[in-house]
């Protein structure tokens, strides 16, 4: 008997999990409230935070799934190119025939051993449900005294609603936040004709250009070695090593005229942005402490400085909202208290037949870990991977509750899901790829080397992708890599 699955969302997460569910014999139906597939990458106002001029901060190799490379040789694809890629991916696996656009899911409730999905006046029952609706749709705007009365003529918006610099030409603009959207928007405004751009932030992050010495920075930062180091070394040593990579690649923000960040990279955080620090250095962007209050057009900052602005853009993150889940599921997940109590962001033993895709916050691109999470779900439900032990799941959930929601890194998420799916490549099986597997990019092809759905051409593909930008051209570790690897091996 065929097992039916409702997949909520037709962005990268929904498409990837549908592809892998099909491979295990499931029958997915993909519900999409918008008019077309693509999720954030549709760039539709009100449904997407992708603005027309945006390019990825992640390289094309790490912004792809293992079955389909990008067309062309752009290092950082445009938003439109990513959308085209998702359409090609959907066509490759005939996912479009399973797509139900303009179908907003109102409620998901348990129905015996299955799940009932209500959309409009229609109720359907499915054996299983995967929630892949995205977690970056509800901007978090901080409470600032007087903000509601801001009288600048371009108003207050979240970065989610930003659509390019033309509205702000000749204007004085305040950009609030220190993560990627805030810094990228500030740099675009400064280059796009804004009269005056100020960035206000609670803390100064380290900033790493997305392209350094001809190598995409996500190839350096998000490695398998980094995941192994995080498991093995003391946090202070992992912090030191990451900071060493960042500062030697890009310097420290105070060298550009920005505030000096905390000594600890973990305390300060790090953001990828190519043009932000150079714009600070040449005075195109000014940096201020966090805003304290607003009165009309005037903004008072934490140091007492006052300036007038025509517009304010908040790039201050997102809240996780899944309003279609019933009260029982919401309570189990601790959603209304701001939590997301799950085993590795995916399952809860008290919600059998329900899984989640892409509900974590991370540094780095999502495509690779999303595919691995999709494979874990499909393999678990299909019996290819061993189902998680309930006691282990509950322990993981209690740990999740205790720690609360926090940002992770792309490589940590990818390795977590690869292990769960049984596709983490073993170093001793691939001596000719030893360096690439440790210090090369976590390309999707490296997770097709072994385990379920291994591909015969994966070793050659991965070797090419690791060497593509000249980062990993041979198997001989550098002096630093040898030192780093020894620290993990000997720990």
């Amino acid at each position: 008997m065929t097992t039916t699955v409702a997949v909520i969302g037709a962005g990268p997460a929904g498409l990837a999990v549908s592809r892998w569910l099909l491979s295990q014999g499931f029958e997915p139906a993909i519900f999409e409230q918008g008019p077309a597939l693509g999720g954030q990458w549709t760039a539709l106002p009100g449904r997407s935070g992708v603005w027309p001029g945006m390019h990825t901060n992640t390289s094309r190799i790490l912004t792809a799934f293992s079955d389909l490379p990008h067309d062309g040789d752009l290092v950082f694809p445009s938003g439109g190119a990513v959308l085209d890629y998702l359409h090609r991916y959907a066509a490759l696996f005939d996912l479009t025939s399973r797509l139900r656009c303009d179908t907003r899911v109102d409620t998901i409730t348990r129905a015996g051993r299955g799940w009932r999905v209500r959309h409009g006046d229609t109720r359907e029952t499915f054996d299983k449900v995967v929630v892949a609706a995205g977690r970056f749709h509800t901007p978090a705007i901080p409470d600032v005294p007087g903000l509601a009365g801001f009288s600048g003529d371009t108003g207050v918006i979240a970065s989610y609603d930003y659509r390019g610099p033309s509205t702000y030409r000749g204007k004085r603009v305040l950009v609030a936040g220190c993560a990627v959207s805030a810094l990228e928007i500030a740099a675009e405004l400064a280059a796009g004709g804004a009269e005056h751009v100020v960035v206000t932030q609670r803390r100064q992050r380290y900033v790493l250009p997305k392209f350094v010495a001809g190598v995409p920075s996500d190839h350096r930062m998000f490695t398998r070695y980094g995941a192994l180091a995080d498991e093995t070394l003391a946090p202070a040593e992992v912090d030191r090593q990451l900071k060493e990579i960042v500062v030697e690649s890009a310097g420290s923000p105070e060298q550009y005229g920005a505030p000096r960040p905390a000594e600890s990279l973990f305390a300060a955080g790090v953001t990828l942005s190519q043009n932000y620090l150079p714009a600070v250095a040449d005075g195109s962007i000014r940096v201020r402490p966090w805003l304290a209050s607003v009165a009309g057009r005037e903004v008072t900052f934490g140091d007492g400085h006052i300036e007038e602005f025509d517009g304010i853009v908040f790039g201050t993150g997102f809240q996780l909202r899944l309003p279609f889940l019933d009260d029982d599921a919401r309570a189990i997940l601790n959603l209304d208290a701001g939590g997301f109590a799950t085993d590795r962001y995916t399952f809860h033993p008290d919600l059998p037949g329900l899984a989640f895709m892409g509900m974590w916050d991370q540094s780095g691109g999502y495509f690779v870990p999303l595919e691995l999470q999709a494979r874990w779900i499909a393999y678990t439900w299909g019996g290819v991977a061993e189902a998680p032990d309930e006691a282990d799941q509950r322990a993981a959930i209690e740990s999740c509750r205790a720690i609360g929601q926090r940002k992770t890194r792309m490589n940590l998420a990818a390795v977590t899901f690869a292990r769960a799916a049984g596709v983490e490549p073993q170093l001793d099986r691939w001596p000719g790829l030893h360096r690439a597997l440790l210090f090369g990019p976590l390309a999707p092809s490296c997770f097709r080397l072994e385990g379920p759905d291994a591909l015969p051409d994966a070793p050659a593909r991965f070797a090419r992708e690791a060497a593509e930008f000249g980062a990993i051209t041979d198997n001989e570790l550098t002096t630093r890599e040898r030192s780093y690897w020894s620290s993990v091996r000997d720990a």
Side-chain angles (χ1 to χ4, degrees):
M1 183 175 173
T2 301
T3 301
T4 59
V5 186
V7 176
I8 315 303
L15 296 176
V17 78
S18 297
R19 174 264 187 270
W20 287 100
L21 287 169
L22 279 168
S23 77
Q24 292 298 312
F26 295 96
E27 288 292 328
I30 309 170
F31 291 83
E32 171 54 51
Q33 67 174 338
L37 67 83
Q40 291 278 4
W41 299 102
T42 62
L44 293 172
R47 298 189 185 278
S48 165
V50 172
W51 60 91
M54 197 189 91
H55 285 248
T56 66
N57 260 14
T58 55
S59 69
R60 67 172 183 273
I61 291 174
L62 299 187
T63 313
F65 300 128
S66 63
D67 296 297
L68 184 67
H70 275 276
D71 282 339
D73 57 3
L74 283 179
V75 181
F76 300 100
S78 67
V82 176
L83 181 60
D84 289 343
Y85 174 87
L86 293 174
H87 277 274
R88 289 196 296 120
Y89 184 81
L92 180 64
F93 295 103
D94 194 26
L95 302 178
T96 50
S97 66
R98 300 175 178 278
L99 186 60
R100 305 186 191 182
C101 291
D102 295 312
T103 306
R104 177 186 177 87
V105 170
D106 298 305
T107 58
I108 297 174
T109 56
R110 283 196 264 197
R113 294 189 175 184
W115 292 85
R116 183 171 295 113
V117 175
R118 181 175 68 82
H119 48 97
D121 296 328
T122 303
R123 290 167 174 77
E124 299 180 72
T125 299
F126 293 85
D127 298 304
K128 298 180 184 296
V129 171
V130 179
V131 175
R135 74 173 310 280
F136 300 106
H137 290 289
T138 305
I141 304 296
D143 185 19
V144 178
L147 182 63
F150 177 71
S151 59
D153 56 7
T154 58
V156 178
I157 66 167
S159 60
Y160 187 82
D161 299 309
Y162 173 78
R163 283 298 174 270
S166 60
T167 301
Y168 299 95
R169 287 192 183 116
K171 305 293 185 180
R172 298 161 298 177
V173 192
L174 178 65
V175 181
C178 58
V180 59
S181 63
L183 302 195
E184 292 287 88
I185 288 171
E188 185 173 272
L189 289 172
E195 177 187 317
H196 185 56
V197 179
V198 173
V199 167
T200 176
Q201 50 194 14
R202 291 189 178 92
R203 70 183 189 279
Q204 175 65 57
R205 292 189 180 191
Y206 290 89
V207 181
L208 182 62
K210 62 184 185 181
F211 209 42
V212 178
V215 179
S217 291
D218 57 355
H219 289 216
R220 301 179 194 271
M221 286 291 291
F222 306 116
T223 63
R224 173 90 169 283
Y225 166 78
L228 298 175
D230 194 78
E231 297 168 347
T232 307
L233 303 180
E237 176 60 14
V238 179
D239 190 343
R240 184 194 71 79
Q241 291 183 9
L242 283 173
K243 182 180 173 183
E244 187 172 71
I245 294 170
V246 170
V247 173
E248 290 197 7
S249 296
S252 192
E254 73 273 12
Q255 295 173 286
Y256 295 80
R260 184 181 183 88
E263 286 301 312
S264 163
L265 183 137
F266 285 169
V270 62
T271 298
L272 286 173
S273 180
Q274 191 73 21
N275 300 315
Y276 172 73
L277 284 179
V280 172
D282 69 18
S284 302
I285 294 174
R286 304 286 185 184
V287 184
R288 293 287 179 192
W290 190 243
L291 66 172
S293 63
V294 176
R297 289 174 175 264
E298 290 188 342
V299 173
T300 301
F301 297 96
D303 60 358
H305 179 79
I306 299 173
E307 284 191 51
E308 285 192 357
F309 294 95
D310 301 302
I312 303 176
V313 180
F314 278 92
T316 43
F318 294 84
Q319 299 171 347
L320 176 60
R321 286 193 71 247
L322 301 171
F324 43 77
L325 292 179
D326 67 10
D327 290 343
D328 181 46
R330 299 184 65 80
I332 289 170
L333 296 168
N334 200 33
L335 277 175
D336 293 331
F340 184 61
T342 49
D343 174 20
R344 289 163 284 182
Y345 311 103
T346 308
F347 297 116
H348 196 293
D350 294 334
L351 299 170
L354 181 65
F356 297 89
M357 283 283 296
M359 296 299 162
W360 70 95
D361 189 10
Q362 71 171 28
S363 299
Y366 277 82
F367 276 64
V368 175
L370 281 176
E371 180 177 67
L372 293 165
Q373 187 182 34
R375 293 171 73 182
W376 180 30
I377 292 169
Y379 291 166
T380 299
W381 285 349
V384 172
E386 185 176 351
D389 177 79
E390 183 176 333
D392 291 342
Q393 281 192 304
R394 294 194 183 280
I397 290 165
E398 283 308 307
S399 176
C400 176
R401 282 180 177 270
I403 295 171
Q405 291 199 63
R406 63 179 182 178
K407 205 176 189 77
T408 187
R409 302 194 297 280
M410 173 266 189
N411 50 338
L412 306 188
V415 170
T416 293
F417 296 137
R419 286 179 183 168
V423 297
E424 181 187 19
Q426 302 305 304
L427 291 172
D428 58 358
R429 295 182 187 174
W430 305 97
L433 295 173
H434 185 260
R435 184 184 178 210
L437 284 170
L438 277 175
F439 294 100
L442 274 178
S445 56
C446 80
F447 299 108
R448 303 297 292 270
L449 291 171
E450 56 189 80
D453 295 293
L455 293 174
D457 69 338
R461 284 174 53 196
F462 178 58
R464 286 196 307 271
E465 290 171 340
E468 184 153 349
F469 300 99
I472 303 292
T473 55
D474 57 44
N475 207 31
E476 184 69 27
L477 298 180
T478 66
T479 301
R480 172 179 290 172
E481 289 167 352
R482 194 175 299 112
S483 170
Y484 282 180
W485 180 231
S486 295
S487 68
V488 167
R489 223 177 25 204
D490 298 340

